Amino acid sequence: MDAVCLVGFMGAGKTAVGRALADRLGWPLYDLDEEIETREGRSVYEIFAESGESYFRQKEREVLGQLAGGNMVLSVGGGAFTVDDNINLINKISSSVWLRCPIEICLQRLSSSAIKRPLFSDPTQMANLYQHRLKYYKRANHHVDGDKGTPAEIASEIMELLDLKAEQK
Ligand code: S3P
């Protein structure tokens, strides 16, 4: 089993590191949010606004459950790895890697991000959500700092940790 799943809070760098890692490995990148958006024909922001958070959570579970195995880099939204069934499934089909990143850095990145995030709110609420979620993120198989180094450097660190070799180009 060589799939790698990146988990962690919004702004931890899952998408950027996921791209760098998939590129180095020559593996497909599967972004759960993007997959849901494609299937739904609307953005995550619109899904939350029009159908509510619980509908989105249900889609996360559904799409995760339909994932084929095999080599891939999987990146999941910050709330996906906070549900027992999802955590168990992700840890079964992949090596999960928590991109650990201080809330201050996540908030900085989020405030300069072009992506509209439905749960992005005031710093106190975000910090509470972050604290609440740490216990879930800690259940990832590996923990890597998401604020130390460029996405390419963090991808290299993950490859070393999991003993994965770069694709020969
Ligand atoms: C969410 C994180 C988002 C996205 C949705 C909900 C969350 O993904 O799935 O807005 O609950 O933390 P990112 O972590 O990629 O921002």
Side-chain angles (χ1 to χ4, degrees):
M1 175 193 63
D2 270 341
V4 178
C5 181
L6 301 178
V7 309
F9 201 66
M10 294 170 261
K14 302 179 296 284
T15 304
V17 173
R19 282 194 191 122
L21 186 60
D23 184 58
R24 291 280 308 282
L25 293 169
W27 290 0
L29 174 65
Y30 194 95
D31 182 297
L32 188 62
D33 280 348
E34 275 176 20
E35 182 60 29
I36 294 171
E37 288 181 332
T38 306
R39 290 181 184 210
E40 290 280 312
R42 50 191 180 147
S43 68
V44 169
Y45 192 86
E46 287 166 336
I47 299 173
F48 268 69
E50 294 164 6
S51 307
E53 180 172 353
S54 58
Y55 178 87
F56 175 75
R57 299 299 174 200
Q58 182 193 320
K59 290 292 139 191
E60 280 187 320
R61 283 197 292 276
E62 234 174 76
V63 177
L64 268 176
Q66 291 164 3
L67 278 182
N71 290 359
M72 66 176 157
V73 176
L74 172 63
S75 166
V76 300
F81 203 78
T82 65
V83 174
D84 273 336
D85 284 352
N86 294 352
I87 296 173
N88 294 335
L89 178 68
I90 289 171
N91 283 345
K92 192 169 139 204
I93 64 166
S94 71
S95 298
S96 55
V97 178
W98 172 29
L99 287 185
R100 192 174 41 195
C101 188
I103 182 67
E104 296 77 20
I105 306 281
C106 294
L107 288 174
Q108 262 174 32
R109 290 178 179 169
L110 291 172
S111 49
S112 56
S113 164
I115 299 168
K116 254 176 120 179
R117 287 177 170 83
L119 293 183
F120 185 41
S121 56
D122 71 85
T124 310
Q125 255 177 287
M126 292 294 274
N128 288 341
L129 185 62
Y130 178 92
Q131 282 305 326
H132 168 75
R133 286 179 171 179
L134 288 178
K135 60 179 173 297
Y136 300 108
Y137 298 151
K138 285 179 182 164
R139 287 166 63 187
N141 303 132
H142 304 275
H143 302 175
V144 164
D145 286 322
D147 63 327
K148 299 195 173 68
T150 62
E153 286 166 346
I154 298 170
S156 297
E157 192 184 335
I158 294 173
M159 287 167 67
E160 228 167 89
L161 191 66
L162 301 178
D163 198 20
L164 295 169
K165 304 276 170 277
E167 180 190 39
Q168 299 295 323
K169 296 198 176 166

